[in-house]
């Protein structure tokens, strides 16, 4: 009688998946599994608010601006609070750094193992028009127990991530993450109230023909980007199709599932680039590389960049290897 082998079917919850990962691969500690389930709990509350925006006014402005001088919506703050609270209870979390907090939130001076970076609500400018938004997270380990300035242990390059992922609040609510053993996707089943495995070991499809860039900024693109845009629009390259949602999580998720490339170069308005390294570019880059893709800043690998500040911005080019190498041939 063979022992029953559970199939990796949709009946696999994210918790069961993490426990199996933990028992089979040991690349995942039980604490990390617990930590991820803390994030998924907070995301269910965020999803609930996003779905009822028009009724509860979570997309109203708070009349305050964040460290980036961007206006903050109620749900930006609420999501940040829920995530910090759901993780603050976790004995292994030492520091949390999020887009909405200028300084890192030190939960434990000496204890705790993990540092967590969040963009609690990505694409919030799309919130009041019913377009997909998301939460992005990145997890690293403390490099040492004692420090004078927390930035000493926080500003680590992206290749030090041990887990990264996002939740996209879209036509369905999906959780996509990696712990360094492939990219896996879970869909929130509203009837069950759980994230259930919908795809495992996702890799970029080979021949996606979608390019995603905000051409409203094109007057400030350098020559190479203009040449690349001429190429993707030329008859011999095509047919490419243009898609731009304006929420990184949604533009990246479409690129991961359908293939193609997402590009956010430096612009006049954002001369360093717009996307933040620690909690947007790094986690997306970890997922992209685990899905057999590439993520660069136009010159080097995103995950090699040594951060110099917490909210540092970078240009981001991410997608299928073939497409990233193609644009590189124009811009480098
Ligand atoms: P956030 O809402 O967290 O500030 O992120 C918005 C970012 C990112 O989601 C998206 O890719 C980019 O802003 C869109 O910028 P543009 O509107 O300039 O194209
Ligand atoms: Mn964002
Ligand atoms: Mn945000």
């Amino acid at each position: 009688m063979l022992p029953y082998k559970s199939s990796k079917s949709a009946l696999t919850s994210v918790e069961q998946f993490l426990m199996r990962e933990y028992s089979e691969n040991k690349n995942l500690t039980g604490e990390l599994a617990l930590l991820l389930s803390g994030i998924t709990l907070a995301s269910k509350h965020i999803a609930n608010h996003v779905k009822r925006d028009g009724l509860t006014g979570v997309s109203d402005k708070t009349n305050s601006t964040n460290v980036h001088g961007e206006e903050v919506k109620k749900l930006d703050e609420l999501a940040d609070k829920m995530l910090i609270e759901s993780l603050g209870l976790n004995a292994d979390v030492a520091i949390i750094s999020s887009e909405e907090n200028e300084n890192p939130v030190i939960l434990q001076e000496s204890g705790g193992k993990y540092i967590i970076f969040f963009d609690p609500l990505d694409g919030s400018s799309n919130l009041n028009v019913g377009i997909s938004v998301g939460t992005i997270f990145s997890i690293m380990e403390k490099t040492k127990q004692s420090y004078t300035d927390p930035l000493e242990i926080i500003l680590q390059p992206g290749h030090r991530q041990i887990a990264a992922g996002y939740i996209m609040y879209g036509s369905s609510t999906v959780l996509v993450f990696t712990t360094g053993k492939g990219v896996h996707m879970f869909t929130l089943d509203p009837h069950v109230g759980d994230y259930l495995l919908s795809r495992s070991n996702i890799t970029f499809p080979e021949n996606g023909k979608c390019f995603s860039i905000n051409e409203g900024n094109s007057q400030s693109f350098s020559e190479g980007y203009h040449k690349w845009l001429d190429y993707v629009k030329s008859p011999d390259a095509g047919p490419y199709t243009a898609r731009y949602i304006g929420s990184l999580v949604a533009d990246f998720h479409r690129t991961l599932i359908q293939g193609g490339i997402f590009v956010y170069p430096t612009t006049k308005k954002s001369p360093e680039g717009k996307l933040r390294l620690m909690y947007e570019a790094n986690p997306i880059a970890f997922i992209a590389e685990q899905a057999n893709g590439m993520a660069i800043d136009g010159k080097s690998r995103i995950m090699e960049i040594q951060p110099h500040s917490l909210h540092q911005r970078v240009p981001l080019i991410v997608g299928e290897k073939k497409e990233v190498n193609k644009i590189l041939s124009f811009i480098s």
Side-chain angles (χ1 to χ4, degrees):
M1 179 80 153
L2 285 176
Y4 172 72
K5 188 105 180 88
S6 77
S7 69
K8 295 187 178 179
S9 73
L11 283 179
T12 305
S13 70
V14 61
E15 288 77 11
Q16 287 168 312
F17 182 88
L18 290 167
M19 285 305 134
R20 184 165 56 225
E21 281 292 286
Y22 168 51
S23 59
E24 282 170 5
N25 297 331
K26 287 275 182 259
N27 69 306
L28 186 77
T29 61
E31 308 115 322
L32 188 55
L34 201 64
L35 203 162
L36 284 171
S37 60
I39 294 174
T40 54
L41 176 64
S43 76
K44 290 178 193 173
H45 290 285
I46 298 169
N48 201 12
H49 284 287
V50 168
K51 297 268 181 247
R52 293 178 301 131
D53 165 44
L55 305 170
T56 57
V58 285
S59 64
D60 295 350
K61 294 175 189 138
T62 58
N63 297 326
S64 66
T65 55
N66 60 17
V67 60
H68 316 279
E70 294 157 344
E71 72 186 12
V72 176
K73 304 256 174 94
K74 280 187 188 151
L75 193 51
D76 280 314
E77 278 180 347
L78 198 54
D80 190 54
K81 206 162 133 296
M82 284 191 262
L83 285 158
I84 291 177
E85 272 167 21
S86 76
L87 285 158
L89 309 171
N90 189 314
D92 297 300
V93 179
I95 298 174
I96 290 181
S97 171
S98 100
E99 176 189 345
E100 302 309 330
N101 296 285
E102 179 161 8
N103 300 309
V105 178
I106 312 292
L107 295 173
Q108 303 185 58
E109 285 287 343
S110 54
K113 189 171 167 187
Y114 299 114
I115 302 171
I116 311 185
F117 304 86
F118 280 125
D119 177 356
L121 196 71
D122 172 65
S124 48
S125 60
N126 279 327
L127 197 55
N128 58 338
V129 293
I131 292 178
S132 302
V133 293
T135 296
I136 312 174
F137 62 90
S138 165
I139 303 174
M140 294 189 184
E141 286 182 333
K142 280 166 82 169
T143 47
K144 54 186 178 180
Q145 272 310 330
S146 58
Y147 50 79
T148 34
D149 175 351
L151 292 182
E152 284 168 39
I153 58 170
I154 292 174
L155 298 181
Q156 300 177 46
H159 63 78
R160 305 265 316 169
Q161 293 173 94
I162 55 166
Y166 56 81
I167 295 97
M168 181 178 75
Y169 312 104
S171 49
S172 59
T173 299
V174 293
L175 161 69
V176 173
F177 73 77
T178 183
T179 61
K181 289 256 180 214
V183 175
H184 312 292
M185 176 167 132
F186 299 79
T187 302
L188 183 60
D189 180 331
H191 305 296
V192 176
D194 243 343
Y195 282 101
L196 301 180
L197 183 65
S198 36
R199 277 188 64 181
S200 43
N201 297 309
I202 302 176
T203 53
F204 286 97
E206 288 294 306
N207 48 10
K209 282 291 177 205
C210 193
F211 71 95
S212 184
I213 185 169
N214 183 346
E215 288 197 64
N217 298 321
S218 58
Q219 80 286 0
S220 56
F221 292 166
S222 63
E223 189 47 32
Y225 287 99
H226 287 290
K227 288 213 177 87
W228 169 72
L229 280 168
D230 294 344
Y231 163 73
V232 291
K233 295 175 186 173
S234 66
D236 51 338
Y240 277 88
T241 187
R243 287 281 184 277
Y244 193 76
I245 301 167
S247 300
L248 172 62
V249 169
D251 280 317
F252 175 75
H253 188 67
R254 183 208 51 248
T255 307
L256 176 66
I257 301 302
Q258 289 183 352
I261 188 169
F262 171 84
V263 182
Y264 205 111
T266 58
T267 62
K268 214 179 296 172
K269 194 171 157 229
S270 309
E272 304 295 313
K274 177 177 183 183
L275 300 170
R276 278 57 55 120
L277 173 62
M278 300 310 285
Y279 41 80
E280 289 176 312
N282 268 342
I284 292 296
F286 190 11
I287 294 168
E289 292 196 3
Q290 284 287 311
N292 196 29
M294 276 173 82
I296 59 172
D297 64 356
K299 286 191 294 292
S300 31
R301 192 174 162 234
I302 289 287
M303 291 209 281
E304 291 300 337
I305 297 173
Q306 173 55 48
H308 52 70
S309 67
L310 197 49
H311 300 288
Q312 173 176 341
R313 295 172 188 270
V314 289
L316 176 63
I317 298 172
V318 60
E320 288 180 57
K321 275 193 182 125
K322 179 169 59 76
E323 297 299 336
V324 174
N325 284 320
K326 172 57 79 181
I327 192 171
L328 254 182
S329 67
F330 289 99
I331 62 175
S332 52

